Amino acid sequence: MRLKEKLILWYFGAKLKVFLALAGAIFILSFSDARALQDESAFFGYDKFLHFTAGYLLSDAAFTIQKNNNALLPLLLPTAIGTGKEIVDSVFDWKDLACTGLGAAVRVSVSGVEELHFGSLTLEHAKLVDFAAGYMAAELVFIIQKNDEILLPVLIPVFASAGKELVDGYFDWKDFGYVSFGAVVRSLLRASFKF
C-alpha cells in the first residue's frame, strides 16, 4: 500500500477515532460536577480532551507512516509536539502536556504491541494496562468523592485488583503491584501537586 493510500485510510479512520474519543469524554465528563466543567484548570476540562485527542491522533499518524509496530516514535512525536506547544504558550501547563502524552499512550496500548522497548528497558503491554487501570480507577474515585482525601482512591483499586486476582485462581503479584502502583501514583500526584 502506498503512502497516499495509507494517509487516506488514516484520515477516515481518524474521524471515527475522534468520535470515539469525544464519546469517552462525554462519559468521563458525566462524572464531573458543573463547577469543574466550567473551570479550565480542571483535569477533565474540554481543553484537556482536545489535548488527549491530539496526542492520540498524532500517535496514530506515526504508526500509520512507519513500517513497523515500534512504539518509540508514536510516543515521542506527540510528546515533543505537546512540549513545543506548551513552550510557545504564555504559561506551561503540565496538565495539557500530560493529556497529550496520555492520548499517545492510549493509542500505543491498543496497537497490538506486546512489549515496549526503550533501550534495555522492556515494559509488557499487559503491565501498562494494569498500571493505567489503577491510575484511572483512582481518578474516578477522586471525581466521585469530590475531595482530595487519598485513602479511598488507593484502597478501592487495590481491593478491586486483589479480588480480580483471587477470581482468576492464580494470584499474579505483578499485575496486583502494577494496579496498586497506578493508584498510588495518581493519589500522590493529586495530594502533592493538586494535579
Side-chain angles (χ1 to χ4, degrees), residues 23-94:
I26 291 168
F27 173 75
I28 295 294
L29 288 172
S30 67
F31 286 104
S32 301
D33 63 352
R35 283 173 290 166
L37 295 180
Q38 293 171 354
D39 183 11
E40 275 302 310
S41 67
F43 186 77
F44 286 115
Y46 177 72
D47 180 53
K48 305 305 181 260
F49 279 104
L50 292 178
H51 281 275
F52 176 88
T53 304
Y56 188 99
L57 293 176
L58 286 168
S59 181
D60 190 58
F63 269 121
T64 302
I65 292 170
Q66 71 183 10
K67 301 272 192 266
N68 57 29
N69 235 8
N70 188 350
L72 187 59
L73 181 63
L75 284 174
L76 288 180
L77 179 69
T79 304
I81 291 173
T83 302
K85 187 251 183 217
E86 292 306 318
I87 290 172
V88 170
D89 285 352
S90 59
V91 176
F92 195 97
D93 189 348
W94 287 102

Coordinates of all heavy atoms in Angstrom, one line a residue, residues 23-94:
A23 N -16.9 10.6 22.6 CA -17.8 9.8 23.3 C -17.3 9.4 24.7 O -18.0 9.5 25.7 CB -18.2 8.5 22.5
G24 N -16.0 9.1 24.7 CA -15.3 8.8 26.0 C -15.3 10.0 26.9 O -15.5 10.0 28.1
A25 N -15.0 11.2 26.3 CA -15.0 12.5 27.0 C -16.4 12.7 27.6 O -16.4 13.1 28.8 CB -14.6 13.6 26.1
I26 N -17.4 12.5 26.9 CA -18.8 12.7 27.5 C -19.0 11.8 28.6 O -19.6 12.2 29.7 CB -19.8 12.6 26.4 CG1 -19.7 13.7 25.4 CG2 -21.2 12.5 26.9 CD1 -20.5 13.5 24.1
F27 N -18.6 10.6 28.5 CA -18.7 9.6 29.6 C -18.0 10.1 30.9 O -18.6 10.1 32.0 CB -18.2 8.2 29.2 CG -18.2 7.2 30.3 CD1 -19.4 6.6 30.8 CD2 -17.0 6.9 30.9 CE1 -19.3 5.7 31.8 CE2 -17.0 6.0 32.0 CZ -18.1 5.4 32.4
I28 N -16.7 10.5 30.7 CA -16.0 11.0 31.9 C -16.5 12.3 32.4 O -16.7 12.4 33.6 CB -14.5 11.2 31.5 CG1 -13.8 9.8 31.1 CG2 -13.7 11.8 32.6 CD1 -13.7 8.8 32.2
L29 N -16.9 13.2 31.5 CA -17.5 14.4 32.0 C -18.8 14.2 32.8 O -19.1 15.1 33.6 CB -17.7 15.4 30.8 CG -16.5 15.9 30.2 CD1 -16.8 16.7 28.9 CD2 -15.7 16.8 31.1
S30 N -19.5 13.2 32.5 CA -20.8 12.9 33.2 C -20.5 12.7 34.7 O -21.4 12.8 35.5 CB -21.5 11.8 32.6 OG -20.8 10.6 32.8
F31 N -19.3 12.3 35.1 CA -18.9 12.1 36.5 C -18.5 13.4 37.2 O -18.3 13.4 38.4 CB -17.8 11.1 36.6 CG -18.2 9.7 36.4 CD1 -17.9 9.1 35.2 CD2 -18.9 9.0 37.3 CE1 -18.3 7.8 34.9 CE2 -19.3 7.7 37.1 CZ -19.0 7.1 35.9
S32 N -18.2 14.4 36.4 CA -17.7 15.7 37.0 C -18.9 16.6 37.3 O -20.0 16.5 36.7 CB -16.9 16.4 35.9 OG -15.8 15.6 35.6
D33 N -18.7 17.5 38.3 CA -19.7 18.4 38.7 C -19.6 19.6 37.8 O -18.7 19.8 37.1 CB -19.7 18.8 40.1 CG -18.4 19.5 40.5 OD1 -17.5 19.6 39.7 OD2 -18.3 20.0 41.7
A34 N -20.7 20.5 37.8 CA -20.8 21.6 36.8 C -19.7 22.6 37.1 O -19.1 23.2 36.1 CB -22.1 22.3 37.0
R35 N -19.2 22.8 38.3 CA -18.2 23.8 38.5 C -16.9 23.3 37.9 O -16.1 24.1 37.4 CB -18.0 24.0 40.0 CG -19.1 24.9 40.6 CD -19.0 25.0 42.1 NE -19.4 23.7 42.6 CZ -19.2 23.2 43.8 NH1 -18.6 24.0 44.6 NH2 -19.6 22.0 44.1
A36 N -16.6 22.0 38.0 CA -15.4 21.5 37.4 C -15.4 21.7 35.9 O -14.3 21.9 35.3 CB -15.2 20.1 37.8
L37 N -16.6 21.6 35.3 CA -16.6 21.7 33.8 C -16.4 23.1 33.4 O -15.9 23.4 32.3 CB -18.0 21.2 33.3 CG -18.3 19.8 33.6 CD1 -19.7 19.5 33.0 CD2 -17.3 18.9 32.9
Q38 N -16.8 24.1 34.2 CA -16.6 25.5 33.9 C -15.1 25.9 34.1 O -14.7 26.9 33.5 CB -17.5 26.4 34.7 CG -19.0 26.2 34.3 CD -19.9 26.9 35.3 OE1 -19.5 27.4 36.2 NE2 -21.2 26.8 35.0
D39 N -14.4 25.2 35.0 CA -13.1 25.6 35.3 C -12.1 25.0 34.3 O -12.0 23.8 34.2 CB -12.8 25.1 36.7 CG -11.4 25.5 37.2 OD1 -10.7 26.3 36.5 OD2 -11.0 25.0 38.2
E40 N -11.4 25.8 33.6 CA -10.5 25.3 32.5 C -9.3 24.6 33.1 O -8.6 23.9 32.5 CB -10.0 26.4 31.6 CG -11.0 26.7 30.5 CD -11.2 25.5 29.6 OE1 -10.3 24.8 29.2 OE2 -12.4 25.2 29.4
S41 N -9.0 24.8 34.4 CA -7.9 24.2 35.1 C -8.2 22.7 35.5 O -7.4 22.0 35.9 CB -7.4 25.0 36.3 OG -8.4 25.0 37.3
A42 N -9.5 22.4 35.5 CA -9.9 21.0 35.9 C -9.3 20.0 35.0 O -9.1 20.2 33.8 CB -11.4 20.9 35.8
F43 N -8.9 18.9 35.5 CA -8.2 17.9 34.8 C -9.0 17.4 33.6 O -8.5 17.1 32.5 CB -7.8 16.7 35.7 CG -6.9 15.7 35.0 CD1 -5.6 16.0 34.8 CD2 -7.5 14.5 34.5 CE1 -4.8 15.1 34.1 CE2 -6.7 13.6 33.8 CZ -5.3 13.9 33.6
F44 N -10.3 17.2 33.8 CA -11.2 16.7 32.7 C -12.0 17.8 32.0 O -13.1 17.7 31.6 CB -12.2 15.7 33.3 CG -11.5 14.4 33.6 CD1 -11.4 13.9 34.9 CD2 -10.9 13.6 32.6 CE1 -10.8 12.7 35.2 CE2 -10.3 12.4 32.9 CZ -10.2 12.0 34.2
G45 N -11.3 19.0 31.8 CA -12.0 20.1 31.1 C -11.9 19.8 29.6 O -11.2 18.9 29.1
Y46 N -12.7 20.6 28.9 CA -12.8 20.4 27.4 C -11.4 20.5 26.7 O -11.1 19.7 25.9 CB -13.7 21.5 26.8 CG -13.9 21.5 25.3 CD1 -14.6 20.4 24.7 CD2 -13.3 22.5 24.6 CE1 -14.7 20.4 23.3 CE2 -13.4 22.4 23.2 CZ -14.1 21.4 22.6 OH -14.2 21.4 21.2
D47 N -10.6 21.5 27.2 CA -9.3 21.7 26.6 C -8.4 20.4 26.8 O -7.6 20.1 25.9 CB -8.6 22.9 27.2 CG -7.2 23.1 26.7 OD1 -7.1 23.2 25.4 OD2 -6.3 23.2 27.5
K48 N -8.6 19.8 27.9 CA -7.7 18.6 28.2 C -8.1 17.4 27.2 O -7.3 16.7 26.8 CB -7.9 18.1 29.6 CG -7.6 19.2 30.7 CD -6.2 19.8 30.5 CE -6.0 20.8 31.6 NZ -6.1 22.2 31.2
F49 N -9.4 17.3 26.9 CA -9.8 16.3 26.0 C -9.3 16.6 24.5 O -9.0 15.7 23.8 CB -11.3 16.0 26.0 CG -11.6 15.2 27.2 CD1 -12.2 15.7 28.3 CD2 -11.4 13.8 27.1 CE1 -12.5 14.9 29.3 CE2 -11.7 13.0 28.2 CZ -12.3 13.6 29.3
L50 N -9.2 17.9 24.2 CA -8.6 18.2 22.9 C -7.1 17.8 22.9 O -6.7 17.3 21.9 CB -8.7 19.7 22.6 CG -10.2 20.2 22.4 CD1 -10.1 21.7 22.2 CD2 -10.8 19.5 21.2
H51 N -6.4 18.0 24.0 CA -5.0 17.6 24.0 C -4.9 16.1 24.0 O -4.1 15.5 23.3 CB -4.4 18.1 25.3 CG -4.0 19.5 25.2 ND1 -2.8 19.9 24.7 CD2 -4.6 20.7 25.6 CE1 -2.7 21.3 24.7 NE2 -3.8 21.7 25.3
F52 N -5.8 15.4 24.7 CA -5.8 13.9 24.6 C -6.0 13.4 23.2 O -5.3 12.5 22.7 CB -6.9 13.4 25.5 CG -7.1 11.9 25.5 CD1 -6.3 11.0 26.3 CD2 -8.0 11.3 24.6 CE1 -6.5 9.7 26.2 CE2 -8.1 9.9 24.5 CZ -7.3 9.1 25.3
T53 N -7.0 14.0 22.5 CA -7.3 13.6 21.1 C -6.2 13.9 20.2 O -5.8 13.1 19.3 CB -8.6 14.3 20.7 OG1 -9.7 14.0 21.6 CG2 -9.0 13.9 19.3
A54 N -5.5 15.1 20.4 CA -4.4 15.4 19.6 C -3.2 14.4 19.8 O -2.6 13.9 18.8 CB -3.9 16.8 19.9
G55 N -3.0 14.0 21.0 CA -1.9 13.0 21.3 C -2.3 11.7 20.7 O -1.4 11.0 20.1
Y56 N -3.5 11.3 20.7 CA -4.0 10.0 20.2 C -3.8 10.0 18.6 O -3.2 9.1 18.1 CB -5.4 9.8 20.5 CG -5.9 8.4 20.1 CD1 -6.0 7.4 21.1 CD2 -6.3 8.1 18.8 CE1 -6.4 6.1 20.8 CE2 -6.8 6.8 18.5 CZ -6.8 5.9 19.5 OH -7.3 4.6 19.1
L57 N -4.2 11.1 18.0 CA -4.2 11.2 16.5 C -2.8 11.3 16.0 O -2.4 10.7 15.0 CB -5.1 12.3 16.0 CG -6.6 12.1 16.2 CD1 -7.3 13.3 15.8 CD2 -7.1 10.9 15.5
L58 N -1.9 12.1 16.7 CA -0.5 12.2 16.3 C 0.2 10.8 16.4 O 1.0 10.4 15.6 CB 0.2 13.2 17.1 CG -0.1 14.7 16.8 CD1 0.4 15.6 17.9 CD2 0.4 15.1 15.5
S59 N -0.1 10.1 17.5 CA 0.5 8.8 17.7 C 0.0 7.8 16.6 O 0.8 7.0 16.0 CB 0.1 8.2 19.1 OG 0.7 7.0 19.3
D60 N -1.3 7.9 16.3 CA -1.9 7.1 15.2 C -1.2 7.4 13.9 O -0.9 6.5 13.1 CB -3.4 7.3 15.2 CG -4.0 6.3 14.2 OD1 -3.9 5.1 14.5 OD2 -4.7 6.7 13.3
A61 N -1.0 8.7 13.6 CA -0.3 9.1 12.3 C 1.1 8.5 12.3 O 1.5 8.0 11.2 CB -0.3 10.6 12.2
A62 N 1.8 8.5 13.4 CA 3.2 7.9 13.4 C 3.1 6.4 13.2 O 4.0 5.9 12.4 CB 3.8 8.2 14.8
F63 N 2.2 5.7 13.7 CA 2.0 4.3 13.5 C 1.7 4.0 12.0 O 2.2 3.1 11.4 CB 0.9 3.7 14.3 CG 1.4 3.1 15.6 CD1 0.9 3.6 16.8 CD2 2.3 2.1 15.7 CE1 1.3 3.1 18.0 CE2 2.8 1.6 16.9 CZ 2.2 2.1 18.1
T64 N 0.9 4.9 11.4 CA 0.5 4.7 10.0 C 1.6 4.9 9.1 O 1.8 4.2 8.1 CB -0.7 5.7 9.7 OG1 -1.8 5.5 10.6 CG2 -1.2 5.5 8.3
I65 N 2.5 5.9 9.3 CA 3.5 6.3 8.4 C 4.7 5.3 8.6 O 5.3 4.9 7.6 CB 4.0 7.7 8.7 CG1 2.9 8.6 8.2 CG2 5.3 8.0 7.9 CD1 3.1 10.1 8.6
Q66 N 5.0 4.9 9.8 CA 6.2 4.0 9.9 C 5.8 2.6 9.5 O 4.7 2.2 9.5 CB 6.7 4.0 11.3 CG 5.9 3.3 12.4 CD 6.4 3.4 13.8 OE1 7.4 4.2 14.0 NE2 5.9 2.7 14.7
K67 N 6.8 1.8 9.1 CA 6.6 0.5 8.6 C 6.5 -0.6 9.6 O 6.3 -1.8 9.2 CB 7.7 0.2 7.6 CG 7.8 1.2 6.4 CD 6.9 0.8 5.3 CE 7.2 1.6 4.1 NZ 6.4 2.7 3.9
N68 N 6.7 -0.3 10.9 CA 6.7 -1.4 11.9 C 5.9 -1.0 13.1 O 5.3 0.1 13.1 CB 8.1 -1.7 12.3 CG 8.9 -0.5 12.8 OD1 8.3 0.4 13.4 ND2 10.2 -0.5 12.7
N69 N 5.8 -1.8 14.1 CA 5.0 -1.6 15.3 C 5.8 -1.0 16.4 O 5.4 -1.2 17.6 CB 4.3 -2.9 15.7 CG 2.8 -2.7 15.8 OD1 2.3 -1.7 15.4 ND2 2.1 -3.7 16.3
N70 N 6.9 -0.4 16.1 CA 7.8 0.1 17.2 C 7.0 1.3 17.9 O 6.5 2.2 17.2 CB 9.1 0.6 16.6 CG 10.1 1.1 17.6 OD1 9.8 1.2 18.8 ND2 11.3 1.3 17.2
A71 N 7.0 1.3 19.2 CA 6.2 2.3 19.9 C 7.0 3.6 20.2 O 6.4 4.5 20.7 CB 5.7 1.7 21.2
L72 N 8.3 3.6 20.0 CA 9.1 4.8 20.4 C 8.6 6.1 19.7 O 8.3 7.1 20.3 CB 10.5 4.5 20.1 CG 11.5 5.6 20.7 CD1 11.3 5.7 22.2 CD2 12.9 5.2 20.3
L73 N 8.6 6.1 18.4 CA 8.1 7.3 17.6 C 6.7 7.7 18.0 O 6.5 8.9 18.2 CB 8.3 7.1 16.1 CG 8.0 8.3 15.3 CD1 8.9 9.5 15.6 CD2 8.0 8.0 13.8
P74 N 5.7 6.8 18.0 CA 4.4 7.2 18.4 C 4.2 7.7 19.8 O 3.3 8.4 20.1 CB 3.6 5.9 18.2 CG 4.3 5.1 17.2 CD 5.8 5.4 17.5
L75 N 5.2 7.5 20.7 CA 5.2 8.1 22.0 C 5.9 9.4 22.0 O 5.5 10.4 22.6 CB 5.8 7.1 23.0 CG 4.9 6.0 23.5 CD1 5.7 5.1 24.4 CD2 3.7 6.5 24.2
L76 N 7.1 9.4 21.3 CA 7.9 10.6 21.3 C 7.3 11.8 20.5 O 7.4 13.0 20.9 CB 9.3 10.3 20.9 CG 10.2 9.5 21.8 CD1 11.5 9.3 21.2 CD2 10.3 10.2 23.1
L77 N 6.8 11.5 19.3 CA 6.3 12.6 18.5 C 5.2 13.4 19.1 O 5.3 14.7 19.2 CB 5.8 12.0 17.1 CG 5.2 13.0 16.1 CD1 6.3 13.9 15.6 CD2 4.5 12.3 15.0
P78 N 4.1 12.9 19.7 CA 3.1 13.7 20.3 C 3.7 14.4 21.6 O 3.3 15.6 21.8 CB 2.0 12.7 20.7 CG 2.2 11.5 19.9 CD 3.7 11.5 19.6
T79 N 4.6 13.8 22.3 CA 5.1 14.4 23.5 C 6.0 15.6 23.1 O 5.9 16.6 23.7 CB 6.0 13.4 24.3 OG1 5.1 12.2 24.6 CG2 6.5 14.0 25.6
A80 N 6.8 15.4 22.0 CA 7.6 16.6 21.6 C 6.8 17.7 21.0 O 7.0 18.9 21.4 CB 8.6 16.1 20.5
I81 N 5.7 17.4 20.3 CA 4.9 18.5 19.7 C 4.1 19.1 20.9 O 4.0 20.4 20.9 CB 3.9 17.9 18.7 CG1 4.7 17.5 17.4 CG2 2.8 18.9 18.3 CD1 3.9 16.8 16.4
G82 N 3.6 18.3 21.9 CA 3.0 18.9 23.0 C 3.9 19.8 23.8 O 3.5 20.9 24.3
T83 N 5.1 19.4 24.0 CA 6.1 20.2 24.8 C 6.4 21.5 24.0 O 6.4 22.6 24.6 CB 7.4 19.4 25.0 OG1 7.1 18.2 25.7 CG2 8.4 20.2 25.8
G84 N 6.5 21.4 22.7 CA 6.8 22.6 21.9 C 5.6 23.6 22.0 O 5.8 24.8 22.1
K85 N 4.4 23.0 22.0 CA 3.2 23.9 22.0 C 3.1 24.6 23.4 O 2.8 25.8 23.5 CB 1.9 23.0 21.8 CG 0.7 23.8 21.7 CD -0.2 23.6 22.9 CE -1.5 24.3 22.8 NZ -1.9 24.9 24.1
E86 N 3.4 23.9 24.5 CA 3.4 24.5 25.8 C 4.5 25.5 26.0 O 4.3 26.5 26.7 CB 3.5 23.4 26.9 CG 2.3 22.5 26.9 CD 1.0 23.2 27.1 OE1 0.9 24.2 27.9 OE2 0.0 22.8 26.4
I87 N 5.7 25.3 25.4 CA 6.7 26.3 25.4 C 6.3 27.6 24.7 O 6.6 28.7 25.2 CB 8.0 25.7 24.8 CG1 8.6 24.7 25.8 CG2 9.1 26.8 24.6 CD1 9.8 23.9 25.2
V88 N 5.6 27.4 23.6 CA 5.1 28.6 22.8 C 4.0 29.3 23.6 O 3.9 30.6 23.5 CB 4.7 28.2 21.4 CG1 4.0 29.3 20.7 CG2 5.8 27.7 20.6
D89 N 3.2 28.6 24.3 CA 2.1 29.2 25.1 C 2.7 30.2 26.2 O 3.8 30.0 26.6 CB 1.2 28.2 25.8 CG 0.3 27.5 24.8 OD1 0.2 27.9 23.7 OD2 -0.3 26.5 25.2
S90 N 1.9 31.1 26.6 CA 2.3 32.0 27.7 C 2.6 31.3 29.0 O 3.5 31.8 29.8 CB 1.3 33.2 27.8 OG 0.1 32.6 28.2
V91 N 1.9 30.3 29.3 CA 2.0 29.5 30.5 C 2.2 28.0 30.2 O 1.4 27.5 29.4 CB 0.8 29.7 31.5 CG1 0.9 28.9 32.7 CG2 0.6 31.2 31.8
F92 N 3.2 27.4 30.8 CA 3.5 26.0 30.5 C 2.5 25.2 31.4 O 2.6 25.2 32.6 CB 4.9 25.6 30.9 CG 5.3 24.3 30.4 CD1 6.0 24.2 29.2 CD2 5.0 23.1 31.0 CE1 6.4 23.0 28.7 CE2 5.4 21.9 30.5 CZ 6.1 21.8 29.3
D93 N 1.5 24.5 30.8 CA 0.5 23.8 31.5 C 0.9 22.3 31.5 O 0.7 21.6 30.5 CB -0.9 24.0 30.9 CG -2.0 23.4 31.8 OD1 -1.7 22.6 32.7 OD2 -3.1 23.7 31.5
W94 N 1.3 21.7 32.7 CA 1.7 20.3 32.7 C 0.5 19.4 32.5 O 0.7 18.3 32.0 CB 2.3 20.0 34.1 CG 3.7 20.6 34.3 CD1 4.0 21.8 34.9 CD2 4.9 20.1 33.7 NE1 5.3 22.0 34.8 CE2 5.9 21.0 34.1 CE3 5.2 19.0 32.9 CZ2 7.2 20.8 33.7 CZ3 6.5 18.8 32.6 CH2 7.5 19.7 33.0

